Protein backbone atom coordinates (compact mmCIF):
# COMPACT_ATOMS: atom_id res chain seq x y z
CA UNK A 1 0.00 0.00 0.00
CA UNK A 2 0.98 3.61 -0.40
CA UNK A 3 -0.35 6.88 0.97
CA UNK A 4 -0.13 10.52 -0.08
CA UNK A 5 1.83 12.93 2.11
CA UNK A 6 1.05 16.65 2.52
CA UNK A 7 2.53 17.40 -0.95
CA UNK A 8 0.46 14.59 -2.54
CA UNK A 9 3.58 12.51 -3.17
CA UNK A 10 2.97 8.80 -2.65
CA UNK A 11 4.98 7.00 0.02
CA UNK A 12 5.19 3.34 0.87
CA UNK A 13 3.05 2.59 3.93
CA UNK A 14 4.18 -0.44 5.93
CA UNK A 15 1.48 0.03 8.58
CA UNK A 16 -0.68 -2.77 7.17
CA UNK A 17 0.95 -6.20 7.72
CA UNK A 18 -0.84 -8.04 4.87
CA UNK A 19 1.15 -9.52 2.00
CA UNK A 20 -1.67 -9.91 -0.51
CA UNK A 21 -4.83 -7.93 -1.13
CA UNK A 22 -7.82 -9.69 -2.66
CA UNK A 23 -10.75 -7.30 -2.56
CA UNK A 24 -12.05 -4.06 -1.08
CA UNK A 25 -15.34 -2.40 -0.19
CA UNK A 26 -15.86 1.35 0.12
CA UNK A 27 -18.48 3.00 2.34
CA UNK A 28 -20.05 6.35 1.36
CA UNK A 29 -18.27 8.32 4.11
CA UNK A 30 -14.82 7.25 2.88
CA UNK A 31 -14.23 4.29 5.17
CA UNK A 32 -12.98 1.23 3.31
CA UNK A 33 -12.40 -2.45 4.03
CA UNK A 34 -9.62 -4.67 2.66
CA UNK A 35 -9.79 -8.43 2.26
CA UNK A 36 -6.19 -9.65 2.62
CA UNK A 37 -4.09 -12.74 3.13
CA UNK A 38 -3.87 -11.77 6.81
CA UNK A 39 -7.58 -11.09 7.40
CA UNK A 40 -10.01 -8.21 7.15
CA UNK A 41 -8.79 -4.65 7.72
CA UNK A 42 -10.77 -1.43 8.06
CA UNK A 43 -9.55 2.09 7.34
CA UNK A 44 -11.50 5.14 8.53
CA UNK A 45 -10.51 8.71 7.59
CA UNK A 46 -8.87 10.71 10.39
CA UNK A 47 -11.12 12.40 12.91
CA UNK A 48 -11.99 16.09 12.81
CA UNK A 49 -8.94 18.31 12.97
CA UNK A 50 -7.93 21.86 12.15
CA UNK A 51 -6.11 22.11 8.79
CA UNK A 52 -2.38 22.74 9.19
CA UNK A 53 -2.70 26.11 7.41
CA UNK A 54 -5.11 27.30 10.13
CA UNK A 55 -3.20 26.18 13.23
CA UNK A 56 -2.39 29.82 14.06
CA UNK A 57 -5.98 31.06 13.62
CA UNK A 58 -7.61 31.39 17.03
CA UNK A 59 -11.02 32.38 18.27
CA UNK A 60 -14.59 31.54 17.43
CA UNK A 61 -15.75 31.23 13.83
CA UNK A 62 -19.48 31.72 13.51
CA UNK A 63 -19.91 32.16 9.77
CA UNK A 64 -18.49 30.12 6.92
CA UNK A 65 -19.17 29.99 3.20
CA UNK A 66 -17.74 28.37 0.10
CA UNK A 67 -17.55 30.39 -3.11
CA UNK A 68 -17.99 29.14 -6.67
CA UNK A 69 -14.27 28.37 -6.94
CA UNK A 70 -14.28 26.09 -3.87
CA UNK A 71 -12.53 28.55 -1.54
CA UNK A 72 -13.71 28.82 2.07
CA UNK A 73 -14.33 32.25 3.57
CA UNK A 74 -14.86 33.04 7.26
CA UNK A 75 -14.50 35.83 9.80
CA UNK A 76 -12.51 35.38 13.01
CA UNK A 77 -11.12 37.97 15.38
CA UNK A 78 -12.44 40.84 13.26
CA UNK A 79 -10.53 39.61 10.20
CA UNK A 80 -11.71 38.08 6.92
CA UNK A 81 -9.98 34.77 6.16
CA UNK A 82 -9.75 32.80 2.91
CA UNK A 83 -8.72 29.15 2.71
CA UNK A 84 -7.89 27.93 -0.78
CA UNK A 85 -6.71 24.33 -0.47
CA UNK A 86 -3.63 24.58 1.77
CA UNK A 87 -3.25 28.35 1.25
CA UNK A 88 -4.59 30.49 4.11
CA UNK A 89 -4.77 34.24 3.72
CA UNK A 90 -5.99 36.99 6.06
CA UNK A 91 -7.40 39.86 4.01
CA UNK A 92 -6.84 43.49 4.88
CA UNK A 93 -9.85 45.50 6.02
CA UNK A 94 -9.97 49.04 7.46
CA UNK A 95 -9.67 49.29 11.24
CA UNK A 96 -13.22 50.62 11.58
CA UNK A 97 -14.50 47.53 9.74
CA UNK A 98 -12.48 45.23 12.01
CA UNK A 99 -14.46 46.50 14.99
CA UNK A 100 -17.72 45.74 13.17
CA UNK A 101 -16.48 42.30 12.13
CA UNK A 102 -15.92 41.34 15.78
CA UNK A 103 -19.66 40.59 15.84
CA UNK A 104 -19.86 38.81 12.44
CA UNK A 105 -22.34 35.96 12.55
CA UNK A 106 -22.77 34.88 8.93
CA UNK A 107 -20.86 35.00 5.67
CA UNK A 108 -22.57 34.57 2.29
CA UNK A 109 -20.78 34.24 -1.05
CA UNK A 110 -22.41 36.37 -3.74
CA UNK A 111 -21.86 36.83 -7.46
CA UNK A 112 -18.65 38.36 -8.81
CA UNK A 113 -16.57 37.34 -5.77
CA UNK A 114 -18.40 39.62 -3.33
CA UNK A 115 -19.13 38.53 0.24
CA UNK A 116 -22.08 39.52 2.37
CA UNK A 117 -21.10 39.74 6.04
CA UNK A 118 -23.81 39.81 8.67
CA UNK A 119 -22.81 41.43 11.94
CA UNK A 120 -24.86 41.87 15.08
CA UNK A 121 -26.93 44.68 13.56
CA UNK A 122 -25.64 45.41 10.05
CA UNK A 123 -25.12 43.85 6.64
CA UNK A 124 -21.77 44.61 5.03
CA UNK A 125 -20.68 44.03 1.45
CA UNK A 126 -17.00 43.08 1.08
CA UNK A 127 -15.04 43.04 -2.19
CA UNK A 128 -11.95 40.89 -1.43
CA UNK A 129 -10.04 41.99 -4.54
CA UNK A 130 -9.88 45.64 -3.41
CA UNK A 131 -10.49 45.29 0.31
CA UNK A 132 -13.55 47.54 -0.01
CA UNK A 133 -16.13 46.99 2.72
CA UNK A 134 -19.40 48.97 2.96
CA UNK A 135 -22.79 48.87 4.61
CA UNK A 136 -25.50 47.66 2.27
CA UNK A 137 -28.23 50.00 1.09
CA UNK A 138 -30.68 48.47 3.54
CA UNK A 139 -28.32 49.38 6.38
CA UNK A 140 -29.56 47.57 9.44
CA UNK A 141 -30.50 43.92 9.93
CA UNK A 142 -33.94 44.89 11.19
CA UNK A 143 -34.73 45.96 7.61
CA UNK A 144 -35.27 42.61 5.90
CA UNK A 145 -32.16 40.46 5.56
CA UNK A 146 -33.64 38.67 2.57
CA UNK A 147 -34.41 41.91 0.77
CA UNK A 148 -30.79 43.05 1.14
CA UNK A 149 -29.45 39.70 -0.11
CA UNK A 150 -31.72 39.82 -3.15
CA UNK A 151 -30.57 43.33 -4.04
CA UNK A 152 -26.91 42.31 -3.87
CA UNK A 153 -27.45 39.30 -6.14
CA UNK A 154 -28.92 41.39 -8.96
Amino acid sequence: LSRADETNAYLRDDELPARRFFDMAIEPAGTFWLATSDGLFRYAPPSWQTPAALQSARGPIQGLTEDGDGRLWFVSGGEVHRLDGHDHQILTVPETARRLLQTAQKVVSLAKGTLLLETENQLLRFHPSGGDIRRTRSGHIARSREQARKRLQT
Side-chain angles (χ1 to χ4, degrees):
L1 277 182
S2 60
R3 63 179 170 82
D5 67 6
E6 57 276 348
T7 64
N8 289 327
Y10 284 93
L11 307 169
R12 181 180 167 88
D13 191 344
D14 294 322
E15 186 176 315
L16 195 60
R19 293 182 187 172
R20 295 182 63 199
F21 302 91
F22 302 115
D23 206 354
M24 72 180 294
I26 302 173
E27 296 178 1
T31 298
F32 65 90
W33 297 83
L34 296 173
T36 76
S37 58
D38 291 345
L40 186 64
F41 292 90
R42 178 180 182 268
Y43 171 81
S47 61
W48 294 96
Q49 53 188 291
T50 301
L54 296 177
Q55 292 296 327
S56 63
R58 299 278 185 244
I61 298 171
Q62 293 181 308
L64 173 71
T65 192
E66 182 179 9
D67 67 16
D69 294 325
R71 297 175 296 205
L72 293 178
W73 296 87
F74 61 93
V75 176
S76 178
E79 299 173 312
V80 178
H81 296 252
R82 179 179 69 205
L83 183 62
D84 188 0
H86 295 292
D87 181 36
H88 172 234
Q89 183 177 7
I90 300 173
L91 285 84
T92 304
V93 296
E95 186 59 36
T96 53
R98 288 188 71 182
R99 286 193 299 275
L100 288 172
L101 293 176
Q102 293 289 340
T103 64
Q105 298 169 349
K106 292 185 182 176
V107 181
V108 178
S109 176
L110 302 175
K112 301 178 185 174
T114 302
L115 298 175
L116 181 68
L117 308 169
E118 181 180 317
T119 68
E120 201 169 71
N121 61 2
Q122 294 184 46
L123 287 174
L124 305 171
R125 184 175 22 193
F126 179 61
H127 298 277
S129 58
D132 183 38
I133 190 164
R134 296 176 188 213
R135 279 189 355 172
T136 63
R137 286 187 213 143
S138 64
H140 295 285
I141 295 294
R143 296 185 204 155
S144 176
R145 292 177 179 164
E146 286 306 311
Q147 181 181 6
R149 287 181 182 142
K150 286 178 184 177
R151 279 189 195 152
L152 290 172
Q153 291 175 342
T154 57

